[in-house]
Each structure stands twice: as structure tokens, then as C-alpha cells.
Amino acid sequence: MDYKNFIGGAWVETSATTPNVNPSDISDILGHAARGDLTQLDQAIDAADQAAAIWAASTPQQRFDVLDFVGTEILARKEELGRLLSREEGKTLPEGIGEAARAGQIFKFFAGEALRQTGDKLASVRPGIEVDVTRSPVGVVGLITPWNFPIAIPAWKIAPAICYGNAVVLKPAELVPGCAHALVEILSRSGLPEGVVNLVMGRGSELGPRLIENDKVRAISFTGSVPTGRGIAAACGAGLKKVQLEMGGKNPMVVLDDADLDIAVDACLNGAFFSTGQRCTASSRLVVTEAIHDRFVAALAERMSALKVGNALEAGIQMGPVVDARQLEQNLSYVDIASGEGGRVQGGERLNRETEGFYMAPALVTETSNAMRINREEVFGPVASVIRVKDYDEALNIANDTEFGLSSGICTTSLKHASHFKANAQAGMVMVNLPTAGVDYHVPFGGTKGSSFGSREQGRYAAEFYTSVKTAYTLP
Ligand code: UN1
């Protein structure tokens, strides 16, 4: 077996395995991954529970050393890890290498943060008494990660968990065991005590509920779909556990008449189609004012049709395949739904390449209204739609008329509109003249409304989730 589970400091086999298939070439099997059962999961949780107390007592220097070691190694091996990522997930090689580097930088950031943990010391309102406000680790944290960022998302959950003194059980998406395994392998040599990081690969539907229900798990951080997230929130509510959810998006990109056309087209091309549109931050609703609409659509359609779609590992490819057959079918069915609703579709066909893989052409749907399903539901593929609007006020209303609220963008040269949009866009992240996707690693990430739940990930704000606050009173 190529990817074993990692429990209490030991690599553990399972009788059942899951093949890791290259979406650019389905004859290429990267390896076979462990399919852990509930017994293994419970062992991993027990191991984490025992290690949590040990790691909670670690010094800032120990935490720094572990996180810095992992960050340094990931950065040194970013080409190799990026290639593995692109081979198992299908984003292009430059995107894969970029994501691996980002994972390394996240560990470096939290290495520094481990040295900068602070609290407050206040005078009590009562005479002679001192008050200290400090942060303590939460304990065992369950991490459930998706397939679309196979190394960055595990990194941005594991690194803060360790930084703030917790132990974790990672359950990665079944489609991408290679990156999770490679990351945990590096962590296994980092000097962490046994049991602080555990990896249990297997069926989400089987392992997920147990991870959430086990009393020893004190918090769950999840990135994935809205229906799964809702279920997790309900179960964590029942168990009175901390929960942090990052879910879908239907992110608007407003393009105003006064936009710089080249900047707008670049931002939308990147936001909508890079990483094959498989980002919760993808720009999937392009809300465009009348006077620029036709020029914008013509320029974007031209750039979109020129995108080179193919094997993620080939040089010069700009868009890799869809991750698997099920996602491809979903994308193609949304293209049909959009044209059935009266949208005008360019692109969006199934494509064949030299190797058999899940290829499709990026799709642009024009003449849509915000009420259509294509503008209400997340596709999670390279499909963007255009909504024509009269002016900025209508654009802002439509941008906010969605159940999601992750990232919201505007392309404009007007300071007045940019400032108003930043203040009034109902989203956790707002981008001016930039794609809605592609974020920094040292600042908070997350959304409002149906996109996110719980406190923010990344940057210093990650401390909110991975710690609990303690207030101590002393009469010296
Ligand atoms: C990005 O756009 O840079 O699943 C990151 C996702 C997000 C990450 C997006 N959690 O697509």
C-alpha cells in the first residue's frame, strides 16, 4: 500500500484500499490509499487525546521548530509536491507548485506566530486584584478537508492547530490521498510527539459522523459542501463543540462601465476558469453594466476560447481537467440547465485529449438573469455566467442577492464606487480590480451568510478557533 494511515506515531495498513487516479490520464494510478474503519478512527482520536496534554505543555520554541521544519521542507520540495498535487488533482503544474509553496509559507507564518502568543493583563475593578486573559489550546481537533486544495487546506488547518497547542485527526478527501500523506510524512519527522498529528483516510460518510460525535474531539474544522456543512453544524451543536465551516460560493464580479477592460478581463478569466473553476472563491457570476457589456463579453470569450486545456502536467497548459467523472457530469449538466433556462452558451463541451481524462472546455453563459439556477447554485467547475445590469446600484443589489457570501469583486476606476462596494458587499472578502479567488496566506479567509460558519481561518484570526480564552483572577 502506498498511502497508509498514521495513528499514534505509526503507519497503519488497512485491508481495503482506494486507488488514486490521475484525472488527466485515468490509466495512470498514482497509488492506493488506506481506507480506514471506525476502529482505526477511534484509535487515532485516543492517540490525539493522549498527546494533546503533552503538546499543550510545549514551549513556543518547540512549536516554532516543528512548524519551521515543515515549512522549510515543503518549500524545498515544492516542485516535487506540486507535481504530485497536479497529477492527483488536475490543476496545472504552475498552479500545483504555487499551492505547495503556499502550504510551506503557511507553516512559516505559524512558526512565527508560535513565538508571538500574547494575552492581556488588566487591573481588576476590585482593589488589589489582578486579571490575566490568556488563550489555552482546545484539545483534540478534527479536520475534514476537500479535494480542491489538497495541500494548502490541510496546511492551513494543521499549522494553526499545532501553533496553538492542539492535537489533530486529519480526514482528507478520498480523491487526494497523496498530498495529505506527503504532508503528514513530513510532519512525522518534524519532532512532534507521537499522536499530535494523526491521518485517517477513508470514506467521509462513514468516518465523518464518528469524528464529530466522539466526545474526545472538542472542535471540528471543515471545508466542503453546504449540505455536509449544515449536517456538521447541527451535530456539533448537539455535542456543544466548536465548529468552523468553509463552504460554497456563487461569487459575483461586478464590471462597471468605467473599468479598465484589460484588468477586468484578466481578473474574470483567472477568477472564473483557473484551477478549472474548482475554487469556492471562483468568480462565477459576472455582473456587467450596459455600456461595457458587449465589449467585455467579446474580449472575455476570445480569451476563454484561447485557453489551452489539457493534461495538467504538460508545459503550456492553462486549464487542467475536471477532478473526476461525477464532477464533470455535474458541470456539463449545469451547462445544459443554463441553456435550457435561456442562457446563450459559448464553450462548455466535453473534450478529448491524447490521454483519457475528464476534460471540458470552459463555458461562458450570457443573457442570464440572477433568478436562473445557473446564478443561484454553485457549479464548482469552469462555468461562468454574465448578468447585464443598468448601473452600479443594480449591480450591487444583484451581487448581494445570493445565499452565499464568500468573496465579492468589482472592477472599476471609480474610487467612489470601489469604496462604496467595499463597505456594502455582503461577503467576507472583497476584491477591487482583482479576481475573487487567489488569496494571501497571512490574513483572514472566510465568508458571510451561507458560505461560512464560525470564526475565520488563517492569519492571526485563526487563534479564535484553535484556542479557548481563559480569564484568571489573582489576589497577590
Ligand atoms: C483561493 O481562492 O485562493 O475551497 C483559496 C476553496 C477555498 C480556498 C480558495 N477554501 O476553494
Side-chain angles (χ1 to χ4, degrees), residues 91 102 146-149 152-153 156-157 222-224 246-248 251 270 275 277-282 378 380 406-407 429 431 435-440 445-446 457-458:
K91 63 183 69 171
R102 178 169 169 178
W147 51 260
N148 66 327
F149 283 86
I153 293 182
W156 82 48
K157 295 187 194 294
F222 164 83
T223 302
E246 289 302 339
M247 301 171 286
N251 308 294
N270 173 322
S275 298
Q278 298 175 148
R279 296 188 280 192
C280 55
T281 45
E378 184 177 47
F380 220 64
L406 188 56
S407 183
M429 297 177 290
M431 313 291 182
T436 54
V439 298
D440 284 6
F445 176 95
E457 298 199 89
Q458 301 202 67

